[in-house]
Amino acid sequence: MRRLVSALLLSAFLLVGGLASPAAAHPMSTSAVLLDIRDDRVEGEVQLPIDRLAIAVDRDLTGTSVLGEDRSFLKRYTAQHISAVGEDGSPWTVGLGTASVRTIDGTAHLVYPLTIRPPDGQVTDFRLRYDVIVEELLTHKVIATVRYDFDRGILKADDAETLGVLDWDTKSLRVPADEGSWLKGFVTTAGLGIEHVGEGADHLLFLLMLLVPAPLVAVGGRWRTGATRVAGADGVAEATGAAAVTSPRRSLVRVVHVVSAFALGHSLTLALAASGVIHVPSRPVETLIALSIAVSAVHAIRPLVARGEVLIAAGFGLVHGLAFASLIGDLGLDRGSLVTTLLGFNLGIELTQLLVVVLIMPSLIVLSRTTVYPAFRIGVAAIGLVFSVSWMLERATLTAGDPFEGAQTWLVGHPLLVAGAVATLAVAARVRCGVPWAATGK
């Protein structure tokens, strides 16, 4: 049975890699559109990561070329993919200013000043249509923020809010002329947190690597299905006597500890980084995230330390928080709107984590009561280790690309199918091993 499971895992891995499309799998930087609403016009700027722009237009772009030989082409391309339409359907005039190159979160961006004017000189509600880069790159995101100016021509930063997210599926947003509400910004950023984790293969894989050993106990430097436990001097359960199945309640408590530790870690650095207290370039952060997956994968294969998954979740949660902050740290948000954004974004992250736990943890608990689980655990951890090493090499610029992008994108794009496959395996293994279902409730 173990050989069969290993073969199935290997076959599924190869099949996923073959079916997925690497062209749609590249991890994308995030663009930004910043809008300032005035009485007679809308001003702002467009921030385009040059590396993503190069893929979208299929050209080799550099910080020098975008202001040189590619300047005219890129301005035409960008202008063609931005438009505004009033509530009555009338087109508004969109103009781009002189481009500049700016480093944002360690990545070179092509930045255009933006001006949008209504035909009658009076700004009302309008719809912004925007598909720069996202018309070619499926996983790219564009975060739009808006500020309002109605107080004697002085821009009131306290009115800044997150307007929404533009992507492959959503290429237009309604922009209200009147001041928005904090609730709208809160809901929008909560959705952004859900999307960021739900579509981020690295964050999901890190969480999965921490959940895999949750139904088990560490005994003598190895994972065991369970043991008659006696608390040692350090409070850690130790094995004595015959094996006894670990209760689902204990497994769920460990999951709560893991998720809470990760939430505490990423919330701390997310708040500090987004508010400008600390700043770390994105490339080393992304490399450390890949390292966190590798460490958690090794721990899933063989326990590194007692309750190591909780320590790993807390420690590397600090690193993941820096990555989360990169999405919202350069959007020009003031202190008031930043608090709302952080709360909404964190809520989205936690909701996504809980959904992952609900989808996958029951199956892991059932599987852990069978003889199949060691092969399953090691197989999944090995795949996680391979993915993480590939990410580390790419993000450290030691390799030109990630050969497993297609597999990662396919897996992230079909969460219910993956959860269903694991659940089916759990049921089949349980029946095959002939263990009574009541055993899961011990």
Side-chain angles (χ1 to χ4, degrees):
M1 187 66 178
R2 293 186 181 183
R3 292 181 179 178
L4 175 60
V5 172
S6 301
L8 288 174
L9 285 171
L10 179 59
S11 299
F13 178 73
L14 295 176
L15 180 61
V16 166
L19 291 177
S21 172
H26 204 291
M28 300 303 169
S29 304
T30 303
S31 299
V33 178
L34 316 181
L35 301 177
D36 291 337
I37 308 297
R38 303 183 181 276
D39 290 334
D40 61 343
R41 68 193 184 279
V42 178
E43 295 182 345
E45 67 180 30
V46 178
Q47 301 173 352
L48 307 173
I50 294 176
D51 57 347
R52 305 303 94 192
L53 183 60
I55 297 174
V57 300
D58 195 22
R59 290 196 179 196
D60 293 327
L61 302 177
T62 65
T64 301
S65 70
V66 297
L67 300 180
E69 61 267 28
D70 294 309
R71 177 195 294 262
S72 298
F73 165 76
L74 292 176
K75 189 169 187 177
R76 286 196 307 272
Y77 164 79
T78 304
Q80 289 169 358
H81 292 274
I82 305 176
S83 63
V85 178
E87 291 282 272
D88 59 357
S90 60
W92 292 20
T93 302
V94 178
L96 296 178
T98 302
S100 62
V101 173
R102 188 189 310 165
T103 299
I104 300 174
D105 194 32
T107 301
H109 282 63
L110 181 63
V111 179
Y112 288 104
L114 175 69
T115 303
I116 302 174
R117 296 182 182 276
D120 59 359
Q122 182 65 42
V123 173
T124 58
D125 296 356
F126 69 97
R127 181 160 291 277
L128 175 68
R129 296 175 178 171
Y130 183 103
D131 63 352
V132 183
I133 299 180
V134 297
E135 51 102 18
E136 289 292 339
L137 301 185
L138 298 177
T139 57
H140 194 73
K141 303 292 180 184
V142 182
I143 304 175
T145 62
V146 61
R147 297 185 297 180
Y148 295 89
D149 170 35
F150 296 107
D151 209 3
R152 295 187 303 277
I154 300 175
L155 184 66
K156 297 184 292 181
D158 287 344
D159 292 324
E161 69 176 56
T162 303
L163 181 64
V165 179
L166 296 151
D167 55 23
W168 174 264
D169 295 317
T170 304
K171 296 180 180 176
S172 69
L173 290 173
R174 181 179 176 274
V175 183
D178 297 324
E179 298 180 27
S181 66
W182 68 269
L183 180 59
K184 181 179 179 181
F186 179 84
V187 171
T188 299
T189 50
L192 182 60
I194 291 173
E195 287 187 359
H196 186 60
V197 176
E199 298 178 359
D202 48 2
H203 297 299
L204 288 175
L205 190 58
F206 178 67
L207 180 59
L208 178 60
M209 292 298 102
L210 296 176
L211 293 179
V212 165
L216 308 175
V217 291
V219 179
R222 294 181 180 275
W223 289 116
R224 305 294 185 188
T225 302
T228 304
R229 297 179 302 280
V230 176
D234 60 353
V236 178
E238 297 177 345
T240 61
V245 177
T246 306
S247 70
R249 177 179 295 181
R250 181 181 183 280
S251 298
L252 292 177
V253 168
R254 292 183 68 186
V255 170
V256 170
H257 290 166
V258 168
V259 173
S260 300
F262 182 67
L264 181 63
H266 78 66
S267 297
L268 177 61
T269 49
L270 172 60
L272 292 175
S275 58
V277 176
I278 58 176
H279 177 76
V280 180
S282 60
R283 187 172 293 278
V285 169
E286 295 297 331
T287 304
L288 284 174
I289 287 177
L291 175 63
S292 74
I293 300 168
V295 172
S296 59
V298 171
H299 179 71
I301 294 173
R302 186 164 185 145
L304 299 176
V305 292
R307 300 184 186 273
E309 60 276 12
V310 176
L311 298 176
I312 293 170
F316 284 111
L318 299 171
V319 178
H320 284 246
L322 295 174
F324 295 147
S326 67
L327 277 180
I328 59 178
D330 295 288
L331 300 181
L333 300 175
D334 72 297
R335 181 172 297 179
S337 59
L338 183 58
V339 171
T340 302
T341 298
L342 288 173
L343 290 175
F345 195 71
N346 255 328
L347 176 62
I349 292 172
E350 303 315 324
L351 287 175
T352 308
Q353 289 188 157
L354 289 176
L355 179 59
V356 172
V357 171
V358 169
L359 283 175
I360 203 72
M361 201 60 211
S363 299
L364 295 183
I365 291 175
V366 172
L367 265 176
S368 69
R369 285 9 181 213
T370 72
T371 56
V372 170
Y373 201 62
F376 174 85
R377 170 177 54 82
I378 294 174
V380 170
I383 291 174
L385 186 59
V386 170
F387 282 177
S388 62
V389 170
S390 182
W391 277 326
M392 278 192 288
L393 293 175
E394 181 193 25
R395 295 172 183 183
T397 67
L398 297 177
T399 58
D402 179 6
F404 305 106
E405 287 177 3
Q408 297 151 10
T409 301
W410 190 93
L411 290 170
V412 171
H414 300 80
L416 295 180
L417 184 59
V418 173
V422 176
T424 301
L425 177 62
V427 172
R430 192 74 182 185
V431 173
R432 171 68 175 80
C433 294
V435 181
W437 284 98
T440 58
K442 287 184 179 180

